[in-house]
Amino acid sequence: MIKSVCGYCGVGCGIEFDTSKLIGDISYPTNEGLLCAKGASELHTIETSSRLLRPQIKQDGKFNTIDWDTSIKYISSKIKKSEPERVVFYLSGQLLTEDYYIANKLAKGFINTNNVDTNSRTCMASAVVAHKKAFGVDYVPVRMRDIKKANLLILVGSNAAEAHVVFFNKIKKELKRGLKLVVIDPRVTPTTKAAHLHLQINVGSDIDFFNLVCQRLITDEKIDSNYIEKYTNNFETYKNKLSREAKTKMLKRTGLSKEQFEEFITMFYENENIISAWTMGLNQSVQGVDKNLSLINMHLITGKINKEGNGPFSLTGQPNAMGGREVGGLATTLAVHLDFEAESIKKVEEFWKTSGIKNKRGLTSCEIVDEALKGNVEVLIISHTDPIYHLPNRAKVEKAFRNIPLIVEINAYENSETSEFSHIRLPASPWGEKDGTQTNMDRTITKQKKVTRTSIDCKPDWEVFKLIAWELGFKKSFDYSTVEDIFNEFKEMTKISKKRHLDMHNMKGETFIWGEKLFKDNKFLTQNEKANLHFVKNENLSEKTSKEFPFILLTGRTRDQWHSGTKTALLDNLKKFKALEYVEIHPNDAKNLEIEDGDMVDVTSVRGEITLEAKITPDVKEKTVFIPVSVRKINYLTLDLVDKESFEPDYNHSAVRVKSITRL
Ligand SMILES: Nc1nc2c(c(=O)[nH]1)N[C@H]1C(S)=C(S)[C@@H](COP(=O)(O)OP(=O)(O)OC[C@H]3O[C@@H](n4cnc5c(=O)[nH]c(N)nc54)[C@H](O)[C@@H]3O)O[C@H]1N2
Ligand SMILES: Nc1nc2c(c(=O)[nH]1)N[C@H]1C(S)=C(S)[C@@H](COP(=O)(O)OP(=O)(O)OC[C@H]3O[C@@H](n4cnc5c(=O)[nH]c(N)nc54)[C@H](O)[C@@H]3O)O[C@H]1N2
Ligand code: SF4
Ligand SMILES: [Mo]
């Protein structure tokens, strides 16, 4: 019997595998034996016909097989010839901690480029920055089991019923116990359908909503003055600025009625223990950091934090998004939660026994695109992600990628959207064929285990980075034989994290929950150990609709598909649940535009156009449309505006028009 963990989402369900069958691990606390359809089908993904099984090089527009040795030599020679800052790594929250660690070490420590970014930029970078601004450290002070002690759960911009399925099952169990659920989302979703109160706010108005709530809490004296006094900074300034914001304007922007707002306030007052959990509806915004802060403020002024059953809970999407943050595999951090100040660089150089680490952050996702357009990217190494598919404003990304002389794609499957742009493809061992470590959204570190032998010519991602490091002449510093060697080094490195708050060095055995005592006694990691309140307001910076583009496009997940679908779209047992390609449109809008259910429609933004089947449903608000991310061409439409602090894209606010082509 092999015990492992699901490799799809941030819930991180434990699994058991025994020669022929895969089941949920009953003894694993997160899922207690439960699995969703994706987790249950993990084994099938190893056997799909779309696996990439040999290294390939593109010659005359066609991929031809080459051997590992030739490919690694070729890639390394190009890196050697390039100036360090023209070399870019683009990683993924789906990589294992060891993969992430070694890629980050190689790039920042030895090639001396800080250009190591990841798809997590598009995912939870806003939460990372908000945590640092409010708490002084990127730390999530709530765990899933806290919902057992909560009286009220507020889900904001989160469709957990489809995106965090097993966690949502746990939520439903708690609803039977008496937990109250509020969901704040501009769409009707399976999550909102389970809620006691659904606040169908206007897209992008979350800051207005939380500011209204906080204003009201202050006026009604429902705040915890003792907590504020002892454990927070800036309250007076925050309060004064907040009091100047006009209530009616804010309420109007949310699109909610007074009655709906009052209902929320009553629920807030009636319930003692409150958790607010959020995902992409807050993070993916031009004001993603501010949206996060507006919610965190609500917990700080009521003292509903650092107590069982309370707190702001940022849910991570990918299986090891957390692990990536811990090793520091983002362009905006150096390593193990250290940034780029001289003192941190010195510590990291000493630990890695290297020199020359640059003292400036590297390029973030959309900046890589901009620099490539200017001809400033020579080598791009992509691992476990599909940037042509997932980055916003795809036409621009394609143009930029055509301008990069060498794109290396490390992928376990051959059918990514990026593959058309890659020059070399290296076959990775996918889930099931490799070992390693991942951290779920609960800060629980678990081991992913091999359940079958590695396909003959495939290598786990970490080994690919190791081979490149060796070829570049860094054998001594990358002399690992197993994932354990790398993980042990990472554990040791956490000792140099600020105040040793990353406490993985205490980990013994197979699983560990890091940071359990971090905010003990409400001591935060800011300079004076108090949390910071930040006044924020809705600056209304997103793309505006117009006569020509009258709809706002929302994008998001469906339960049984995983992003671009390289793993899930081919599996009949998953495909049967829901179509992959469609656009949802409100009946009134459909009527005005003479669109009928099932019509083919063109959806157009100022950046591009795609054709989809129309699905008419009142689940979307009037003047908004929804397209699931299983539509691979989705990002031809989206805008590439980013948050100025987190650099996370504003995916959910593109202005589009819809036109039937069936009825032309
Ligand atoms: N089945 C499945 N599960 C997944 C994934 C997958 O591909 N498939 N991906 C994983 C990943 S990487 C991630 S990041 C998570 C994402 O998890 P979620 O964020 O829960 O998933 P989304 O479908 O993107 O849902 C975001 C919700 O925010 C709403 N929203 C949009 N704009 C706003 C706004 O301005 N305010 C508010 N309040 N809400 C808004 C949308 O209507 C949508 O329902 O899912 C993870 N789980
Ligand atoms: N419009 C819009 N765009 C979005 C989002 C949105 O909500 N709306 N969400 C954003 C978010 S939150 C995210 S996380 C991204 C996700 O975007 P991506 O990361 O691009 O999506 P995936 O399809 O999960 O890509 C993972 C890739 O890894 C490959 N792979 C699988 N197993 C392995 C392995 O073991 N090793 C290697 N090397 N490769 C492997 C898969 O074949 C696949 O090509 O999309 C972002 N883009
Ligand atoms: S909820 Fe997430 S971790 Fe659990 S089985 Fe489903 S995809 Fe896997
Ligand atoms: Mo994500």
Side-chain angles (χ1 to χ4, degrees), residues 90 382 385-395 397-402 407 416-422 632-633 635-636:
Y90 198 59
I382 299 163
T385 182
D386 189 355
I388 289 286
Y389 153 72
H390 80 247
L391 289 175
N393 194 357
R394 173 158 172 175
V397 184
E398 289 185 355
K399 199 166 161 218
F401 275 40
R402 285 204 185 91
I407 298 181
S416 72
E417 294 288 302
T418 300
S419 61
E420 195 192 319
F421 297 79
S422 320
R632 279 187 156 210
K633 310 284 181 203
N635 283 311
Y636 278 117

PDB file of all heavy atoms in Angstrom, residues 90 382 385-395 397-402 407 416-422 632-633 635-636:
ATOM      1  N   TYR A  90      10.260  30.197 -15.932  1.00  0.00           N
ATOM      2  CA  TYR A  90       8.838  30.382 -15.630  1.00  0.00           C
ATOM      3  C   TYR A  90       8.286  29.078 -15.057  1.00  0.00           C
ATOM      4  O   TYR A  90       8.193  28.071 -15.747  1.00  0.00           O
ATOM      5  CB  TYR A  90       8.076  30.822 -16.889  1.00  0.00           C
ATOM      6  CG  TYR A  90       6.740  31.431 -16.528  1.00  0.00           C
ATOM      7  CD1 TYR A  90       6.669  32.557 -15.706  1.00  0.00           C
ATOM      8  CD2 TYR A  90       5.562  30.874 -16.983  1.00  0.00           C
ATOM      9  CE1 TYR A  90       5.451  33.111 -15.353  1.00  0.00           C
ATOM     10  CE2 TYR A  90       4.332  31.429 -16.643  1.00  0.00           C
ATOM     11  CZ  TYR A  90       4.290  32.542 -15.819  1.00  0.00           C
ATOM     12  OH  TYR A  90       3.081  33.084 -15.467  1.00  0.00           O
ATOM     13  N   ILE A 382      10.491  26.956 -19.353  1.00  0.00           N
ATOM     14  CA  ILE A 382       9.150  26.861 -18.772  1.00  0.00           C
ATOM     15  C   ILE A 382       8.973  25.470 -18.170  1.00  0.00           C
ATOM     16  O   ILE A 382       9.289  24.465 -18.815  1.00  0.00           O
ATOM     17  CB  ILE A 382       8.080  27.045 -19.875  1.00  0.00           C
ATOM     18  CG1 ILE A 382       8.226  28.418 -20.526  1.00  0.00           C
ATOM     19  CG2 ILE A 382       6.682  26.853 -19.325  1.00  0.00           C
ATOM     20  CD1 ILE A 382       7.503  28.531 -21.867  1.00  0.00           C
ATOM     21  N   THR A 385       3.828  24.461 -16.636  1.00  0.00           N
ATOM     22  CA  THR A 385       2.785  25.463 -16.844  1.00  0.00           C
ATOM     23  C   THR A 385       2.719  25.818 -18.315  1.00  0.00           C
ATOM     24  O   THR A 385       3.634  25.487 -19.076  1.00  0.00           O
ATOM     25  CB  THR A 385       3.055  26.714 -15.962  1.00  0.00           C
ATOM     26  OG1 THR A 385       1.989  27.646 -16.153  1.00  0.00           O
ATOM     27  CG2 THR A 385       4.383  27.400 -16.310  1.00  0.00           C
ATOM     28  N   ASP A 386       1.646  26.499 -18.703  1.00  0.00           N
ATOM     29  CA  ASP A 386       1.363  26.727 -20.116  1.00  0.00           C
ATOM     30  C   ASP A 386       1.078  28.219 -20.340  1.00  0.00           C
ATOM     31  O   ASP A 386      -0.079  28.628 -20.467  1.00  0.00           O
ATOM     32  CB  ASP A 386       0.139  25.855 -20.486  1.00  0.00           C
ATOM     33  CG  ASP A 386      -0.141  25.812 -21.965  1.00  0.00           C
ATOM     34  OD1 ASP A 386       0.540  26.528 -22.737  1.00  0.00           O
ATOM     35  OD2 ASP A 386      -1.056  25.057 -22.361  1.00  0.00           O
ATOM     36  N   PRO A 387       2.132  29.038 -20.361  1.00  0.00           N
ATOM     37  CA  PRO A 387       1.908  30.501 -20.376  1.00  0.00           C
ATOM     38  C   PRO A 387       1.146  31.024 -21.585  1.00  0.00           C
ATOM     39  O   PRO A 387       0.405  32.006 -21.469  1.00  0.00           O
ATOM     40  CB  PRO A 387       3.323  31.079 -20.316  1.00  0.00           C
ATOM     41  CG  PRO A 387       4.256  29.975 -20.670  1.00  0.00           C
ATOM     42  CD  PRO A 387       3.568  28.706 -20.275  1.00  0.00           C
ATOM     43  N   ILE A 388       1.294  30.378 -22.753  1.00  0.00           N
ATOM     44  CA  ILE A 388       0.538  30.869 -23.920  1.00  0.00           C
ATOM     45  C   ILE A 388      -0.957  30.723 -23.645  1.00  0.00           C
ATOM     46  O   ILE A 388      -1.771  31.564 -24.015  1.00  0.00           O
ATOM     47  CB  ILE A 388       0.941  30.100 -25.208  1.00  0.00           C
ATOM     48  CG1 ILE A 388       2.349  30.497 -25.654  1.00  0.00           C
ATOM     49  CG2 ILE A 388      -0.083  30.301 -26.327  1.00  0.00           C
ATOM     50  CD1 ILE A 388       2.473  31.879 -26.287  1.00  0.00           C
ATOM     51  N   TYR A 389      -1.301  29.677 -22.926  1.00  0.00           N
ATOM     52  CA  TYR A 389      -2.705  29.474 -22.546  1.00  0.00           C
ATOM     53  C   TYR A 389      -3.131  30.443 -21.449  1.00  0.00           C
ATOM     54  O   TYR A 389      -4.178  31.064 -21.517  1.00  0.00           O
ATOM     55  CB  TYR A 389      -2.896  28.020 -22.096  1.00  0.00           C
ATOM     56  CG  TYR A 389      -4.016  27.811 -21.112  1.00  0.00           C
ATOM     57  CD1 TYR A 389      -5.347  27.894 -21.509  1.00  0.00           C
ATOM     58  CD2 TYR A 389      -3.752  27.541 -19.757  1.00  0.00           C
ATOM     59  CE1 TYR A 389      -6.377  27.709 -20.591  1.00  0.00           C
ATOM     60  CE2 TYR A 389      -4.777  27.363 -18.844  1.00  0.00           C
ATOM     61  CZ  TYR A 389      -6.081  27.450 -19.266  1.00  0.00           C
ATOM     62  OH  TYR A 389      -7.099  27.286 -18.362  1.00  0.00           O
ATOM     63  N   HIS A 390      -2.281  30.603 -20.417  1.00  0.00           N
ATOM     64  CA  HIS A 390      -2.841  31.238 -19.215  1.00  0.00           C
ATOM     65  C   HIS A 390      -2.557  32.726 -19.049  1.00  0.00           C
ATOM     66  O   HIS A 390      -3.212  33.374 -18.236  1.00  0.00           O
ATOM     67  CB  HIS A 390      -2.436  30.474 -17.946  1.00  0.00           C
ATOM     68  CG  HIS A 390      -1.057  30.763 -17.434  1.00  0.00           C
ATOM     69  ND1 HIS A 390      -0.064  29.838 -17.436  1.00  0.00           N
ATOM     70  CD2 HIS A 390      -0.519  31.868 -16.885  1.00  0.00           C
ATOM     71  CE1 HIS A 390       1.029  30.365 -16.911  1.00  0.00           C
ATOM     72  NE2 HIS A 390       0.789  31.591 -16.567  1.00  0.00           N
ATOM     73  N   LEU A 391      -1.586  33.287 -19.778  1.00  0.00           N
ATOM     74  CA  LEU A 391      -1.321  34.716 -19.575  1.00  0.00           C
ATOM     75  C   LEU A 391      -2.362  35.566 -20.309  1.00  0.00           C
ATOM     76  O   LEU A 391      -2.876  35.162 -21.351  1.00  0.00           O
ATOM     77  CB  LEU A 391       0.090  35.079 -20.048  1.00  0.00           C
ATOM     78  CG  LEU A 391       1.232  34.547 -19.163  1.00  0.00           C
ATOM     79  CD1 LEU A 391       2.593  34.854 -19.781  1.00  0.00           C
ATOM     80  CD2 LEU A 391       1.158  35.130 -17.753  1.00  0.00           C
ATOM     81  N   PRO A 392      -2.679  36.736 -19.764  1.00  0.00           N
ATOM     82  CA  PRO A 392      -3.709  37.566 -20.397  1.00  0.00           C
ATOM     83  C   PRO A 392      -3.214  38.213 -21.698  1.00  0.00           C
ATOM     84  O   PRO A 392      -2.010  38.336 -21.904  1.00  0.00           O
ATOM     85  CB  PRO A 392      -3.986  38.632 -19.332  1.00  0.00           C
ATOM     86  CG  PRO A 392      -2.726  38.733 -18.542  1.00  0.00           C
ATOM     87  CD  PRO A 392      -2.126  37.354 -18.532  1.00  0.00           C
ATOM     88  N   ASN A 393      -4.141  38.621 -22.510  1.00  0.00           N
ATOM     89  CA  ASN A 393      -3.861  39.268 -23.794  1.00  0.00           C
ATOM     90  C   ASN A 393      -2.967  38.387 -24.668  1.00  0.00           C
ATOM     91  O   ASN A 393      -1.829  38.726 -24.982  1.00  0.00           O
ATOM     92  CB  ASN A 393      -3.225  40.652 -23.570  1.00  0.00           C
ATOM     93  CG  ASN A 393      -3.242  41.485 -24.842  1.00  0.00           C
ATOM     94  OD1 ASN A 393      -3.668  41.010 -25.899  1.00  0.00           O
ATOM     95  ND2 ASN A 393      -2.774  42.717 -24.744  1.00  0.00           N
ATOM     96  N   ARG A 394      -3.522  37.254 -25.037  1.00  0.00           N
ATOM     97  CA  ARG A 394      -2.732  36.213 -25.688  1.00  0.00           C
ATOM     98  C   ARG A 394      -2.047  36.645 -26.981  1.00  0.00           C
ATOM     99  O   ARG A 394      -0.935  36.216 -27.274  1.00  0.00           O
ATOM    100  CB  ARG A 394      -3.637  34.992 -25.951  1.00  0.00           C
ATOM    101  CG  ARG A 394      -2.972  33.933 -26.762  1.00  0.00           C
ATOM    102  CD  ARG A 394      -3.631  32.610 -26.565  1.00  0.00           C
ATOM    103  NE  ARG A 394      -3.102  31.636 -27.507  1.00  0.00           N
ATOM    104  CZ  ARG A 394      -3.422  30.371 -27.493  1.00  0.00           C
ATOM    105  NH1 ARG A 394      -4.270  29.919 -26.594  1.00  0.00           N
ATOM    106  NH2 ARG A 394      -2.919  29.528 -28.379  1.00  0.00           N
ATOM    107  N   ALA A 395      -2.725  37.488 -27.762  1.00  0.00           N
ATOM    108  CA  ALA A 395      -2.112  37.880 -29.040  1.00  0.00           C
ATOM    109  C   ALA A 395      -0.767  38.546 -28.768  1.00  0.00           C
ATOM    110  O   ALA A 395       0.225  38.316 -29.476  1.00  0.00           O
ATOM    111  CB  ALA A 395      -3.043  38.817 -29.797  1.00  0.00           C
ATOM    112  N   VAL A 397       1.105  38.038 -26.056  1.00  0.00           N
ATOM    113  CA  VAL A 397       2.029  37.012 -25.533  1.00  0.00           C
ATOM    114  C   VAL A 397       2.624  36.215 -26.700  1.00  0.00           C
ATOM    115  O   VAL A 397       3.833  35.948 -26.746  1.00  0.00           O
ATOM    116  CB  VAL A 397       1.300  36.055 -24.556  1.00  0.00           C
ATOM    117  CG1 VAL A 397       2.273  35.057 -23.943  1.00  0.00           C
ATOM    118  CG2 VAL A 397       0.601  36.835 -23.440  1.00  0.00           C
ATOM    119  N   GLU A 398       1.795  35.876 -27.670  1.00  0.00           N
ATOM    120  CA  GLU A 398       2.293  35.104 -28.824  1.00  0.00           C
ATOM    121  C   GLU A 398       3.375  35.882 -29.573  1.00  0.00           C
ATOM    122  O   GLU A 398       4.410  35.343 -29.946  1.00  0.00           O
ATOM    123  CB  GLU A 398       1.136  34.776 -29.778  1.00  0.00           C
ATOM    124  CG  GLU A 398       0.181  33.745 -29.208  1.00  0.00           C
ATOM    125  CD  GLU A 398      -0.900  33.334 -30.201  1.00  0.00           C
ATOM    126  OE1 GLU A 398      -0.970  33.926 -31.303  1.00  0.00           O
ATOM    127  OE2 GLU A 398      -1.675  32.420 -29.877  1.00  0.00           O
ATOM    128  N   LYS A 399       3.089  37.162 -29.766  1.00  0.00           N
ATOM    129  CA  LYS A 399       4.057  38.007 -30.473  1.00  0.00           C
ATOM    130  C   LYS A 399       5.380  38.047 -29.704  1.00  0.00           C
ATOM    131  O   LYS A 399       6.463  37.925 -30.284  1.00  0.00           O
ATOM    132  CB  LYS A 399       3.465  39.424 -30.586  1.00  0.00           C
ATOM    133  CG  LYS A 399       4.103  40.253 -31.644  1.00  0.00           C
ATOM    134  CD  LYS A 399       3.271  41.478 -31.948  1.00  0.00           C
ATOM    135  CE  LYS A 399       4.159  42.485 -32.647  1.00  0.00           C
ATOM    136  NZ  LYS A 399       3.901  43.853 -32.251  1.00  0.00           N
ATOM    137  N   ALA A 400       5.250  38.177 -28.386  1.00  0.00           N
ATOM    138  CA  ALA A 400       6.454  38.245 -27.550  1.00  0.00           C
ATOM    139  C   ALA A 400       7.229  36.919 -27.613  1.00  0.00           C
ATOM    140  O   ALA A 400       8.454  36.907 -27.750  1.00  0.00           O
ATOM    141  CB  ALA A 400       6.056  38.555 -26.111  1.00  0.00           C
ATOM    142  N   PHE A 401       6.520  35.809 -27.534  1.00  0.00           N
ATOM    143  CA  PHE A 401       7.203  34.502 -27.524  1.00  0.00           C
ATOM    144  C   PHE A 401       7.898  34.228 -28.867  1.00  0.00           C
ATOM    145  O   PHE A 401       8.915  33.564 -28.914  1.00  0.00           O
ATOM    146  CB  PHE A 401       6.213  33.378 -27.180  1.00  0.00           C
ATOM    147  CG  PHE A 401       6.031  33.185 -25.687  1.00  0.00           C
ATOM    148  CD1 PHE A 401       5.970  34.274 -24.833  1.00  0.00           C
ATOM    149  CD2 PHE A 401       5.922  31.917 -25.126  1.00  0.00           C
ATOM    150  CE1 PHE A 401       5.808  34.113 -23.457  1.00  0.00           C
ATOM    151  CE2 PHE A 401       5.780  31.736 -23.759  1.00  0.00           C
ATOM    152  CZ  PHE A 401       5.708  32.837 -22.924  1.00  0.00           C
ATOM    153  N   ARG A 402       7.319  34.755 -29.942  1.00  0.00           N
ATOM    154  CA  ARG A 402       7.969  34.573 -31.253  1.00  0.00           C
ATOM    155  C   ARG A 402       9.297  35.312 -31.303  1.00  0.00           C
ATOM    156  O   ARG A 402      10.136  35.058 -32.154  1.00  0.00           O
ATOM    157  CB  ARG A 402       7.061  35.084 -32.374  1.00  0.00           C
ATOM    158  CG  ARG A 402       5.936  34.142 -32.647  1.00  0.00           C
ATOM    159  CD  ARG A 402       5.362  34.259 -34.071  1.00  0.00           C
ATOM    160  NE  ARG A 402       4.221  33.367 -34.138  1.00  0.00           N
ATOM    161  CZ  ARG A 402       2.977  33.736 -33.848  1.00  0.00           C
ATOM    162  NH1 ARG A 402       2.713  34.991 -33.544  1.00  0.00           N
ATOM    163  NH2 ARG A 402       2.004  32.863 -33.885  1.00  0.00           N
ATOM    164  N   ILE A 407      13.038  28.815 -26.508  1.00  0.00           N
ATOM    165  CA  ILE A 407      12.029  28.483 -25.491  1.00  0.00           C
ATOM    166  C   ILE A 407      12.116  26.987 -25.210  1.00  0.00           C
ATOM    167  O   ILE A 407      11.963  26.157 -26.115  1.00  0.00           O
ATOM    168  CB  ILE A 407      10.602  28.851 -25.957  1.00  0.00           C
ATOM    169  CG1 ILE A 407      10.495  30.372 -26.184  1.00  0.00           C
ATOM    170  CG2 ILE A 407       9.561  28.384 -24.934  1.00  0.00           C
ATOM    171  CD1 ILE A 407       9.127  30.860 -26.622  1.00  0.00           C
ATOM    172  N   SER A 416       0.170  21.085 -25.001  1.00  0.00           N
ATOM    173  CA  SER A 416      -0.044  22.415 -24.412  1.00  0.00           C
ATOM    174  C   SER A 416      -0.197  23.441 -25.532  1.00  0.00           C
ATOM    175  O   SER A 416       0.200  23.196 -26.669  1.00  0.00           O
ATOM    176  CB  SER A 416       1.153  22.797 -23.538  1.00  0.00           C
ATOM    177  OG  SER A 416       2.262  23.091 -24.357  1.00  0.00           O
ATOM    178  N   GLU A 417      -0.740  24.594 -25.186  1.00  0.00           N
ATOM    179  CA  GLU A 417      -0.840  25.677 -26.166  1.00  0.00           C
ATOM    180  C   GLU A 417       0.537  26.289 -26.426  1.00  0.00           C
ATOM    181  O   GLU A 417       0.788  26.856 -27.474  1.00  0.00           O
ATOM    182  CB  GLU A 417      -1.792  26.762 -25.644  1.00  0.00           C
ATOM    183  CG  GLU A 417      -3.235  26.319 -25.506  1.00  0.00           C
ATOM    184  CD  GLU A 417      -3.946  26.146 -26.833  1.00  0.00           C
ATOM    185  OE1 GLU A 417      -4.012  27.107 -27.603  1.00  0.00           O
ATOM    186  OE2 GLU A 417      -4.436  25.029 -27.097  1.00  0.00           O
ATOM    187  N   THR A 418       1.429  26.186 -25.427  1.00  0.00           N
ATOM    188  CA  THR A 418       2.764  26.764 -25.570  1.00  0.00           C
ATOM    189  C   THR A 418       3.609  25.960 -26.551  1.00  0.00           C
ATOM    190  O   THR A 418       4.534  26.498 -27.176  1.00  0.00           O
ATOM    191  CB  THR A 418       3.453  26.833 -24.182  1.00  0.00           C
ATOM    192  OG1 THR A 418       2.657  27.655 -23.324  1.00  0.00           O
ATOM    193  CG2 THR A 418       4.856  27.396 -24.257  1.00  0.00           C
ATOM    194  N   SER A 419       3.287  24.675 -26.709  1.00  0.00           N
ATOM    195  CA  SER A 419       4.189  23.801 -27.477  1.00  0.00           C
ATOM    196  C   SER A 419       4.440  24.314 -28.899  1.00  0.00           C
ATOM    197  O   SER A 419       5.525  24.152 -29.430  1.00  0.00           O
ATOM    198  CB  SER A 419       3.676  22.359 -27.488  1.00  0.00           C
ATOM    199  OG  SER A 419       2.431  22.323 -28.100  1.00  0.00           O
ATOM    200  N   GLU A 420       3.455  24.976 -29.465  1.00  0.00           N
ATOM    201  CA  GLU A 420       3.649  25.524 -30.808  1.00  0.00           C
ATOM    202  C   GLU A 420       4.798  26.545 -30.834  1.00  0.00           C
ATOM    203  O   GLU A 420       5.416  26.779 -31.865  1.00  0.00           O
ATOM    204  CB  GLU A 420       2.340  26.202 -31.214  1.00  0.00           C
ATOM    205  CG  GLU A 420       2.226  26.512 -32.678  1.00  0.00           C
ATOM    206  CD  GLU A 420       1.031  27.432 -32.938  1.00  0.00           C
ATOM    207  OE1 GLU A 420      -0.035  27.222 -32.322  1.00  0.00           O
ATOM    208  OE2 GLU A 420       1.195  28.360 -33.758  1.00  0.00           O
ATOM    209  N   PHE A 421       5.077  27.132 -29.696  1.00  0.00           N
ATOM    210  CA  PHE A 421       6.091  28.189 -29.625  1.00  0.00           C
ATOM    211  C   PHE A 421       7.430  27.691 -29.071  1.00  0.00           C
ATOM    212  O   PHE A 421       8.403  28.411 -29.047  1.00  0.00           O
ATOM    213  CB  PHE A 421       5.575  29.338 -28.753  1.00  0.00           C
ATOM    214  CG  PHE A 421       4.359  29.995 -29.330  1.00  0.00           C
ATOM    215  CD1 PHE A 421       3.106  29.418 -29.191  1.00  0.00           C
ATOM    216  CD2 PHE A 421       4.481  31.167 -30.060  1.00  0.00           C
ATOM    217  CE1 PHE A 421       1.986  29.998 -29.757  1.00  0.00           C
ATOM    218  CE2 PHE A 421       3.367  31.762 -30.625  1.00  0.00           C
ATOM    219  CZ  PHE A 421       2.109  31.176 -30.481  1.00  0.00           C
ATOM    220  N   SER A 422       7.448  26.427 -28.586  1.00  0.00           N
ATOM    221  CA  SER A 422       8.671  25.902 -27.962  1.00  0.00           C
ATOM    222  C   SER A 422       9.653  25.461 -29.024  1.00  0.00           C
ATOM    223  O   SER A 422       9.265  25.010 -30.103  1.00  0.00           O
ATOM    224  CB  SER A 422       8.367  24.690 -27.092  1.00  0.00           C
ATOM    225  OG  SER A 422       7.203  24.893 -26.394  1.00  0.00           O
ATOM    226  N   ARG A 632      -9.626  26.908 -24.125  1.00  0.00           N
ATOM    227  CA  ARG A 632      -8.185  27.131 -24.184  1.00  0.00           C
ATOM    228  C   ARG A 632      -7.786  28.477 -24.793  1.00  0.00           C
ATOM    229  O   ARG A 632      -6.711  28.976 -24.546  1.00  0.00           O
ATOM    230  CB  ARG A 632      -7.546  26.010 -24.993  1.00  0.00           C
ATOM    231  CG  ARG A 632      -7.337  24.756 -24.185  1.00  0.00           C
ATOM    232  CD  ARG A 632      -6.550  23.789 -25.015  1.00  0.00           C
ATOM    233  NE  ARG A 632      -5.848  22.849 -24.169  1.00  0.00           N
ATOM    234  CZ  ARG A 632      -4.692  22.297 -24.510  1.00  0.00           C
ATOM    235  NH1 ARG A 632      -4.116  22.601 -25.651  1.00  0.00           N
ATOM    236  NH2 ARG A 632      -4.119  21.429 -23.710  1.00  0.00           N
ATOM    237  N   LYS A 633      -8.680  29.018 -25.621  1.00  0.00           N
ATOM    238  CA  LYS A 633      -8.317  30.279 -26.284  1.00  0.00           C
ATOM    239  C   LYS A 633      -8.820  31.488 -25.506  1.00  0.00           C
ATOM    240  O   LYS A 633      -8.823  32.613 -25.998  1.00  0.00           O
ATOM    241  CB  LYS A 633      -8.906  30.325 -27.703  1.00  0.00           C
ATOM    242  CG  LYS A 633      -8.636  29.092 -28.549  1.00  0.00           C
ATOM    243  CD  LYS A 633      -7.216  29.052 -29.058  1.00  0.00           C
ATOM    244  CE  LYS A 633      -6.995  27.796 -29.917  1.00  0.00           C
ATOM    245  NZ  LYS A 633      -5.595  27.399 -30.013  1.00  0.00           N
ATOM    246  N   ASN A 635      -7.833  33.490 -23.313  1.00  0.00           N
ATOM    247  CA  ASN A 635      -7.059  34.700 -23.020  1.00  0.00           C
ATOM    248  C   ASN A 635      -6.735  35.571 -24.237  1.00  0.00           C
ATOM    249  O   ASN A 635      -6.032  36.573 -24.102  1.00  0.00           O
ATOM    250  CB  ASN A 635      -5.818  34.347 -22.200  1.00  0.00           C
ATOM    251  CG  ASN A 635      -6.199  34.103 -20.744  1.00  0.00           C
ATOM    252  OD1 ASN A 635      -6.910  34.913 -20.145  1.00  0.00           O
ATOM    253  ND2 ASN A 635      -5.794  32.965 -20.202  1.00  0.00           N
ATOM    254  N   TYR A 636      -7.306  35.215 -25.390  1.00  0.00           N
ATOM    255  CA  TYR A 636      -7.273  36.190 -26.487  1.00  0.00           C
ATOM    256  C   TYR A 636      -8.112  37.406 -26.100  1.00  0.00           C
ATOM    257  O   TYR A 636      -7.943  38.491 -26.621  1.00  0.00           O
ATOM    258  CB  TYR A 636      -7.839  35.583 -27.776  1.00  0.00           C
ATOM    259  CG  TYR A 636      -6.836  34.737 -28.538  1.00  0.00           C
ATOM    260  CD1 TYR A 636      -7.049  33.379 -28.727  1.00  0.00           C
ATOM    261  CD2 TYR A 636      -5.678  35.308 -29.068  1.00  0.00           C
ATOM    262  CE1 TYR A 636      -6.126  32.599 -29.424  1.00  0.00           C
ATOM    263  CE2 TYR A 636      -4.750  34.541 -29.757  1.00  0.00           C
ATOM    264  CZ  TYR A 636      -4.978  33.188 -29.932  1.00  0.00           C
ATOM    265  OH  TYR A 636      -4.069  32.432 -30.605  1.00  0.00           O
TER     266      TYR A 636
END
